[in-house]
Amino acid sequence: MDLCIVPIGVGVSVSRYVAACEGVLQDANLKTALHAYGTNIEGEWDEVMAAVKRCHEVVHEMGAPRIMTTAKFGTRTDREQHMEDKIRSVEEKMGQ
Amino acid sequence: MDLCIVPIGVGVSVSRYVAACEGVLQDANLKTALHAYGTNIEGEWDEVMAAVKRCHEVVHEMGAPRIMTTAKFGTRTDREQHMEDKIRSVEEKMGQ
Amino acid sequence: MDLCIVPIGVGVSVSRYVAACEGVLQDANLKTALHAYGTNIEGEWDEVMAAVKRCHEVVHEMGAPRIMTTAKFGTRTDREQHMEDKIRSVEEKMGQ
Amino acid sequence: MDLCIVPIGVGVSVSRYVAACEGVLQDANLKTALHAYGTNIEGEWDEVMAAVKRCHEVVHEMGAPRIMTTAKFGTRTDREQHMEDKIRSVEEKMGQ
């Protein structure tokens, strides 16, 4: 999953809320990689989704009245593939 | 939620898979509105997420080896707001 | 294209800004369809992208210090397909 | 911008197309960071959008009949902020 949580109604700076979500994902023992527009998450469906729900709860508890989240999530049945496999696969094909 | 499920590895035409997902959402008794780039869904978090998971299962069962889903989901604690409220609120402010 | 523009730092209610963007898209003579999580837009690449840029300019001029936009955009070379074709194609396959 | 280009109708493996897009972005001298679900891009609006258009052209030329792109793009007028600033800002607030 690629997760981007945007709290609305709390002003321009949202990094405090994003940091809290990173904490939630770490507490859930999910493999994550933060980037400038979200966080890559790797894990089983139910565990990932439970953590996303917890993120919304935490951000609301921190005072955000409204949250707008964008997520991409991929599943595949043909083979196992990890986050770093996807990046390596692209990098290997660059410059060819 | 706005949900857009894209099966990968099944050719150019994906409407058969999208139609199957619409069926899943209807079976779950969720309020939906289909548009050209996805489906708006209104409902409680757990019910919506369970239906999304079921969509992935169904699309894999139909033969798609890989699925790439994009979703936006909003929650708010300040007031109740339905899909049609959001559209009406924008329309009322147009032409002002 | 499916376009969702979220102004940040202007409070919880964003419909005024979305309405202004609808006006920009109409002024650009683009075919649009508003839904609860964004707006479907049909048109040529350069015209659509110019209108999206104008939306950002207008929303900043209205006072939003930060904007976070999510967009999906599809292009295809195999055949012509309009917004309503996509919806009809899904609807035809439902209940089969 | 966070850019995720998905060619449709070319099978399950899409890394060859993503690698070609990385080449386009590098040729455009844009600052980029590849992650497992897309690429972060930093630059001026017109330059970034021109590169995205070129990516679609290149992926179609490589044989993909259909492309589905998801992009997030942020602009702000209150202050200058780079990709690494966003990540650092979150990291500084973690563990507090």
Side-chain angles (χ1 to χ4, degrees), chain C residues 20-55:
Chain C
C21 292
E22 291 299 302
V24 168
L25 299 171
Q26 287 184 1
D27 289 347
N29 287 316
L30 292 165
K31 190 165 132 188
T32 63
L34 179 67
H35 61 84
Y37 264 102
T39 305
N40 293 168
I41 309 170
E42 182 176 319
E44 294 302 311
W45 184 286
D46 289 341
E47 290 165 38
V48 173
M49 289 304 185
V52 174
K53 184 183 181 184
R54 184 77 194 117
C55 287

Side-chain angles (χ1 to χ4, degrees), chain D residues 59-72:
Chain D
V59 172
H60 279 308
E61 284 163 14
M62 289 172 76
R66 189 175 184 179
I67 304 172
M68 176 68 160
T69 288
T70 309
K72 286 193 278 274

Side-chain angles (χ1 to χ4, degrees), chain A residues 75-76 81 86, chain B residues 6-8 60 64-68, chain D residues 12-14:
Chain A
T75 54
R76 61 192 305 173
Q81 187 190 41
K86 293 181 74 176
Chain B
V6 178
I8 297 176
H60 279 309
R66 188 175 186 179
I67 303 171
M68 175 70 159
Chain D
V12 161
S13 180
V14 301

Side-chain angles (χ1 to χ4, degrees), chain A residues 36-92:
Chain A
Y37 265 100
T39 305
N40 294 168
I41 308 170
E42 182 177 318
E44 293 303 311
W45 183 286
D46 289 342
E47 290 166 37
V48 173
M49 289 303 185
V52 174
K53 184 183 181 184
R54 183 79 195 114
C55 287
H56 269 244
E57 291 169 346
V58 165
V59 172
H60 279 309
E61 285 164 13
M62 288 172 76
R66 189 175 184 179
I67 304 172
M68 175 70 160
T69 289
T70 309
K72 288 194 277 275
F73 33 97
T75 54
R76 61 192 305 173
T77 53
D78 55 338
R79 65 184 181 90
E80 197 172 312
Q81 187 190 41
H82 301 283
M83 297 190 324
E84 60 276 16
D85 299 332
K86 293 181 74 176
I87 295 173
R88 196 183 314 116
S89 181
V90 171
E91 288 176 340
E92 282 171 3

Side-chain angles (χ1 to χ4, degrees), chain A residues 3 17 22 56:
Chain A
L3 179 70
Y17 303 88
E22 290 298 302
H56 269 244

